[in-house]
Amino acid sequence: VRLRAGLREPALRRARVCYDHLAGELGVAVFDSLRASGSLHAAGSEVELTARGRALCDELGIDLASLQAQRRPLCRTGLDWSMRRHHLAGALGAALLARCFALGWARREKDSRVVRFTPAGERALRERLGVPA
């Protein structure tokens, strides 16, 4: 019943926290855009950050050295239950969502997994990450 209710909740389908990274329609769109731009190379469940992706992380203020020092994998895929497609997980997925919060692009709804992007945040996703409107 809980999953069914979540599938009908538009805000939860649009953008939500999955553990500590972005999922939902926007999470899948970010992953697809990063692949399309050449920032990520994905083959099956293997995901690798490219030189272009490293430059993007630098531009966004994401400290890759500290992420790579963690025991956690840098890049992983997560299967999105609402879209049945992959989103970006791992240390980079978590850092990217944390950066969206820190930059004021998005906020997490109190007592919820829902993530709400501001109009400026959605514009930044389009302009900086190539996410379609």
Side-chain angles (χ1 to χ4, degrees):
V1 174
R2 188 174 184 194
L3 177 61
R4 229 179 268 279
L7 287 171
R8 286 192 218 114
E9 173 60 44
L12 203 57
R13 288 179 63 90
R14 177 79 175 139
R16 69 181 167 280
V17 173
C18 176
Y19 297 100
D20 60 357
H21 53 272
L22 182 64
E25 294 165 357
L26 283 178
V28 169
V30 165
F31 181 72
D32 289 347
S33 294
L34 292 173
R35 287 181 59 199
S37 72
S39 294
L40 290 178
H41 174 74
S45 63
E46 298 294 315
V47 183
E48 182 179 300
L49 188 64
T50 66
R52 175 175 269 161
R54 291 177 188 284
L56 177 63
C57 287
D58 221 25
E59 178 188 317
L60 293 173
I62 294 173
D63 180 6
L64 284 176
S66 69
L67 297 181
Q68 291 173 316
Q70 296 177 15
R71 292 184 59 187
R72 182 179 189 180
L74 180 64
C75 298
R76 293 186 55 130
T77 59
L79 183 61
D80 192 90
W81 57 256
S82 62
M83 300 284 294
R84 308 306 298 160
R85 294 185 32 225
H86 287 113
H87 58 257
L88 180 63
L92 183 57
L96 186 57
L97 181 59
R99 202 66 190 124
C100 288
F101 292 148
L103 292 169
W105 294 356
R107 65 173 174 74
R108 185 171 176 174
E109 272 191 14
K110 187 178 176 176
D111 300 324
S112 171
R113 293 175 53 207
V114 171
V115 174
R116 299 251 186 220
F117 277 80
T118 65
E122 289 209 24
R123 192 167 44 257
L125 289 181
R126 285 193 307 274
E127 293 169 0
R128 298 179 89 182
L129 302 181
V131 173

